Amino acid sequence: MEKKNIEWSKLGFEYTKTDYRFSATWEDGEWSPGELVTSEYIQLHEGSPALHYAQQCFEGLKAQTAKDGRILLFRADLNCERMRNTSDRLSMPRVPEALFLRGVTEAVRANAAWVPPYGSGASLYIRPLLIGVGSNMGLRPAKQYEFRVIVCPVGPYYKSGGLSVISLAVSDFDRAAPQGLGDVKAGANYPGGLYATRKAQELGAYEALYLDAAQHRYIEEAGSANIVIAAKGNTLLTPKSSAILPSITRRSIMDIAKHELGMHTEERPIDLRAEIDTFEEVAACGTAAVLSPVGKLWYDGAWHHFYGKGETVGPVMQKLYDILCQIQRGERADPFGWTRAVAL
Ligand code: PLP
Ligand code: COI
């Protein structure tokens, strides 16, 4: 199969129209079998709850090409489980695991020519979407839904590219309320962050870092990624909060730290003011962000620097990044059973 003629190494994190997308619809309690379609447009009723009341959610995962040409999916079952939790919270029908995985697999297989080649530094981003369609003016769940899986080849999420150092600015705004939607992947969690991100960027940071909404004291997460922190005593810390998105990348990194690097791992509330001076290395992590070391943090009117004056990647984050990427690309034994080849 011939790959598309693309400068893979120049890709950013942008939409590219690929050849096929998978679409299934739900009505009267039943999912349609689903099929590959070519149009990038969705016909939506003007009264659809996805438009009026943001009854919509999404997922994000990646496929990578291994050295031997296999296309590897990373922990797709966990994206399915998370979409199920999100859909329960938003009163949407669950996408059955078999349908979710078939949608992902078929969309990847049909667009195999768009999967970046091994060694290109790029990957195929997979975006499952579940939206409430059909007319509905009152605040009620939709009567019809579409499950769609689109895929795009992508490069690094942050403009600095690859494994390079980014910066964050603590936001005065809140991302999510303690008993709100922060722990599910509802699209509604994101537009509020656009303004907070702009404010962070005006300060020279890449993204906003949110603190807990109740006390503005504990670290929550960045606008599009969770946070991990290397601290004294060979420890990897990550915030515990019921208002952050449970990142699949973070869970994987914590497991790598514990089982592959023998680190002590802790998921607990992290008091920024009280603990910032103990942080040795900080990183943002997520499917799009992969592992992006945070060199400096704007907090309380000043920049706080981490490893290497905030300019070089620290040894812990470098190791975690290498192991994660090696597993994702099939370059290293996968003792956890996280990757799965797409049958071509
Ligand atoms: N936090 C937010 C707000 C996100 O949008 C994402 C991206 O999915 C993450 C964290 C990272 O989650 P994951 O590692 O599952 O992609
Ligand atoms: C992802 O990392 O998959 C996300 O969904 C984050 C998004 C804001 C790009």
Side-chain angles (χ1 to χ4, degrees), residues 29 31 43 121 199 203 239:
W31 280 103
Q43 236 202 345
K199 290 285 161 200
L203 290 163

mmCIF file with all atom_site columns, all heavy atoms in Angstrom, residues 29 31 43 121 199 203 239:
data_model
loop_
_atom_site.group_PDB
_atom_site.id
_atom_site.type_symbol
_atom_site.label_atom_id
_atom_site.label_alt_id
_atom_site.label_comp_id
_atom_site.label_asym_id
_atom_site.label_entity_id
_atom_site.label_seq_id
_atom_site.pdbx_PDB_ins_code
_atom_site.Cartn_x
_atom_site.Cartn_y
_atom_site.Cartn_z
_atom_site.occupancy
_atom_site.B_iso_or_equiv
_atom_site.pdbx_formal_charge
_atom_site.auth_seq_id
_atom_site.auth_comp_id
_atom_site.auth_asym_id
_atom_site.auth_atom_id
_atom_site.pdbx_PDB_model_num
ATOM 1  N N   . GLY A 1 29  ? -33.156 2.992  20.858 1.00 0.00 ? 29  GLY A N   1
ATOM 2  C CA  . GLY A 1 29  ? -32.427 1.990  21.642 1.00 0.00 ? 29  GLY A CA  1
ATOM 3  C C   . GLY A 1 29  ? -31.507 1.087  20.848 1.00 0.00 ? 29  GLY A C   1
ATOM 4  O O   . GLY A 1 29  ? -30.916 0.157  21.417 1.00 0.00 ? 29  GLY A O   1
ATOM 5  N N   . TRP A 1 31  ? -28.266 0.571  17.943 1.00 0.00 ? 31  TRP A N   1
ATOM 6  C CA  . TRP A 1 31  ? -27.194 1.107  17.089 1.00 0.00 ? 31  TRP A CA  1
ATOM 7  C C   . TRP A 1 31  ? -27.287 0.478  15.694 1.00 0.00 ? 31  TRP A C   1
ATOM 8  O O   . TRP A 1 31  ? -27.535 -0.725 15.569 1.00 0.00 ? 31  TRP A O   1
ATOM 9  C CB  . TRP A 1 31  ? -25.821 0.781  17.685 1.00 0.00 ? 31  TRP A CB  1
ATOM 10 C CG  . TRP A 1 31  ? -25.447 1.715  18.799 1.00 0.00 ? 31  TRP A CG  1
ATOM 11 C CD1 . TRP A 1 31  ? -25.487 1.455  20.135 1.00 0.00 ? 31  TRP A CD1 1
ATOM 12 C CD2 . TRP A 1 31  ? -24.998 3.064  18.661 1.00 0.00 ? 31  TRP A CD2 1
ATOM 13 N NE1 . TRP A 1 31  ? -25.083 2.560  20.845 1.00 0.00 ? 31  TRP A NE1 1
ATOM 14 C CE2 . TRP A 1 31  ? -24.779 3.562  19.959 1.00 0.00 ? 31  TRP A CE2 1
ATOM 15 C CE3 . TRP A 1 31  ? -24.754 3.913  17.564 1.00 0.00 ? 31  TRP A CE3 1
ATOM 16 C CZ2 . TRP A 1 31  ? -24.324 4.871  20.193 1.00 0.00 ? 31  TRP A CZ2 1
ATOM 17 C CZ3 . TRP A 1 31  ? -24.305 5.200  17.803 1.00 0.00 ? 31  TRP A CZ3 1
ATOM 18 C CH2 . TRP A 1 31  ? -24.098 5.672  19.097 1.00 0.00 ? 31  TRP A CH2 1
ATOM 19 N N   . GLN A 1 43  ? -24.689 15.835 8.569  1.00 0.00 ? 43  GLN A N   1
ATOM 20 C CA  . GLN A 1 43  ? -25.929 16.602 8.453  1.00 0.00 ? 43  GLN A CA  1
ATOM 21 C C   . GLN A 1 43  ? -26.595 16.644 9.813  1.00 0.00 ? 43  GLN A C   1
ATOM 22 O O   . GLN A 1 43  ? -26.948 15.614 10.385 1.00 0.00 ? 43  GLN A O   1
ATOM 23 C CB  . GLN A 1 43  ? -26.844 15.944 7.432  1.00 0.00 ? 43  GLN A CB  1
ATOM 24 C CG  . GLN A 1 43  ? -27.210 16.941 6.360  1.00 0.00 ? 43  GLN A CG  1
ATOM 25 C CD  . GLN A 1 43  ? -28.464 16.568 5.648  1.00 0.00 ? 43  GLN A CD  1
ATOM 26 O OE1 . GLN A 1 43  ? -28.946 15.449 5.744  1.00 0.00 ? 43  GLN A OE1 1
ATOM 27 N NE2 . GLN A 1 43  ? -29.020 17.510 4.911  1.00 0.00 ? 43  GLN A NE2 1
ATOM 28 N N   . GLY A 1 121 ? 8.252   10.442 13.034 1.00 0.00 ? 121 GLY A N   1
ATOM 29 C CA  . GLY A 1 121 ? 7.974   11.314 14.186 1.00 0.00 ? 121 GLY A CA  1
ATOM 30 C C   . GLY A 1 121 ? 6.506   11.707 14.270 1.00 0.00 ? 121 GLY A C   1
ATOM 31 O O   . GLY A 1 121 ? 6.087   12.341 15.233 1.00 0.00 ? 121 GLY A O   1
ATOM 32 N N   . LYS A 1 199 ? -5.130  33.927 27.745 1.00 0.00 ? 199 LYS A N   1
ATOM 33 C CA  . LYS A 1 199 ? -4.515  34.714 28.837 1.00 0.00 ? 199 LYS A CA  1
ATOM 34 C C   . LYS A 1 199 ? -3.139  34.135 29.186 1.00 0.00 ? 199 LYS A C   1
ATOM 35 O O   . LYS A 1 199 ? -2.191  34.879 29.435 1.00 0.00 ? 199 LYS A O   1
ATOM 36 C CB  . LYS A 1 199 ? -5.420  34.682 30.081 1.00 0.00 ? 199 LYS A CB  1
ATOM 37 C CG  . LYS A 1 199 ? -6.702  35.479 29.893 1.00 0.00 ? 199 LYS A CG  1
ATOM 38 C CD  . LYS A 1 199 ? -6.380  36.953 29.966 1.00 0.00 ? 199 LYS A CD  1
ATOM 39 C CE  . LYS A 1 199 ? -7.437  37.825 29.349 1.00 0.00 ? 199 LYS A CE  1
ATOM 40 N NZ  . LYS A 1 199 ? -6.984  39.158 28.988 1.00 0.00 ? 199 LYS A NZ  1
ATOM 41 N N   . LEU A 1 203 ? 0.952   35.776 28.558 1.00 0.00 ? 203 LEU A N   1
ATOM 42 C CA  . LEU A 1 203 ? 2.065   35.804 29.522 1.00 0.00 ? 203 LEU A CA  1
ATOM 43 C C   . LEU A 1 203 ? 3.298   35.089 28.973 1.00 0.00 ? 203 LEU A C   1
ATOM 44 O O   . LEU A 1 203 ? 4.322   34.998 29.641 1.00 0.00 ? 203 LEU A O   1
ATOM 45 C CB  . LEU A 1 203 ? 1.635   35.117 30.821 1.00 0.00 ? 203 LEU A CB  1
ATOM 46 C CG  . LEU A 1 203 ? 0.592   35.855 31.659 1.00 0.00 ? 203 LEU A CG  1
ATOM 47 C CD1 . LEU A 1 203 ? -0.050  34.912 32.672 1.00 0.00 ? 203 LEU A CD1 1
ATOM 48 C CD2 . LEU A 1 203 ? 1.249   37.034 32.385 1.00 0.00 ? 203 LEU A CD2 1
ATOM 49 N N   . PRO A 1 239 ? -1.421  14.647 40.519 1.00 0.00 ? 239 PRO A N   1
ATOM 50 C CA  . PRO A 1 239 ? -2.540  15.114 41.342 1.00 0.00 ? 239 PRO A CA  1
ATOM 51 C C   . PRO A 1 239 ? -3.687  14.115 41.434 1.00 0.00 ? 239 PRO A C   1
ATOM 52 O O   . PRO A 1 239 ? -4.035  13.460 40.447 1.00 0.00 ? 239 PRO A O   1
ATOM 53 C CB  . PRO A 1 239 ? -3.023  16.370 40.611 1.00 0.00 ? 239 PRO A CB  1
ATOM 54 C CG  . PRO A 1 239 ? -1.901  16.784 39.743 1.00 0.00 ? 239 PRO A CG  1
ATOM 55 C CD  . PRO A 1 239 ? -1.171  15.531 39.369 1.00 0.00 ? 239 PRO A CD  1
#
